[in-house]
Amino acid sequence: MSTKLITKEGHEALKKELDYLWREKRPDTTRKVTWAASLGDRSENADYQYNKKLLREIDRRVRYLRKRLEDMRVVEYMPEQEGKVFFGAWVDIENEQGETKRFRIVGYDEIYERMDYISIDSPMARALLRKEVDDEALVQTPSGEVCWWITGIEYVK
């Protein structure tokens, strides 16, 4: 199970998605299902079958979001975090080959569709936690241990 932490921005995005699904997408899809059902034989009605399936997917996502938002803890920036890697930090790292990366450590629900976010539960994030600039982090990967140096830490305030 993933850690139940989320940034303020991530929490707002999930609430916005829930609101959109419940107030706009679901009523629209329900209207389509009702219309398609009124046409008669539902077994060969592609509009009915497609929208009924879409309605089930929407309901599944709504249930998930309601439960998840209820269980999550929003983590906001605190000045005591400055200078060390904690949840919500933007981290710049570099390896021995000179390859650099920049990403933000966030909750599991925030990483989708974002190439610059990593989950707090990932091996990289776990290796970086509580480290400071110029510290080295050893990350366990499937191909072995990899060493990264922290070159920068920033927080959204």
Side-chain angles (χ1 to χ4, degrees), residues 32-42 45-48:
K32 290 176 183 175
V33 167
T34 304
W35 169 80
S38 72
L39 298 177
D41 186 13
R42 296 176 188 171
N45 187 331
D47 282 332
Y48 176 81

Side-chain angles (χ1 to χ4, degrees), residues 21-125:
L21 288 173
W22 188 249
R23 295 181 190 275
E24 294 178 36
K25 185 84 171 168
R26 191 176 194 288
D28 182 54
T29 305
T30 303
R31 277 190 293 280
K32 290 176 183 175
V33 167
T34 304
W35 169 80
S38 72
L39 298 177
D41 186 13
R42 296 176 188 171
S43 65
E44 294 182 14
N45 187 331
D47 282 332
Y48 176 81
Q49 290 176 357
Y50 171 78
N51 286 299
K52 192 71 173 168
K53 180 179 184 255
L54 183 60
L55 191 58
R56 284 192 302 270
E57 291 170 5
I58 291 168
D59 287 344
R60 187 178 310 116
R61 183 68 179 165
V62 164
R63 278 191 308 274
Y64 174 81
L65 289 172
R66 284 184 174 160
K67 177 89 171 102
R68 192 73 177 160
L69 284 168
E70 184 180 292
D71 293 343
M72 301 204 89
R73 190 182 90 183
V74 178
V75 177
E76 296 197 36
Y77 168 78
M78 293 185 304
E80 299 85 45
Q81 294 174 314
E82 206 59 48
K84 290 193 175 198
V85 178
F86 289 105
F87 186 85
W90 280 98
V91 184
D92 298 306
I93 59 174
E94 185 175 351
N95 65 11
E96 293 170 341
Q97 291 77 33
E99 180 184 358
T100 61
K101 294 185 182 286
R102 177 179 171 82
F103 49 78
R104 186 174 188 199
I105 299 174
V106 296
Y108 169 79
D109 294 288
E110 301 175 76
I111 61 173
Y112 297 100
E113 298 178 14
R114 292 294 304 254
M115 297 303 293
D116 57 345
Y117 279 13
I118 64 169
S119 170
I120 185 75
D121 299 315
S122 70
M124 176 68 84

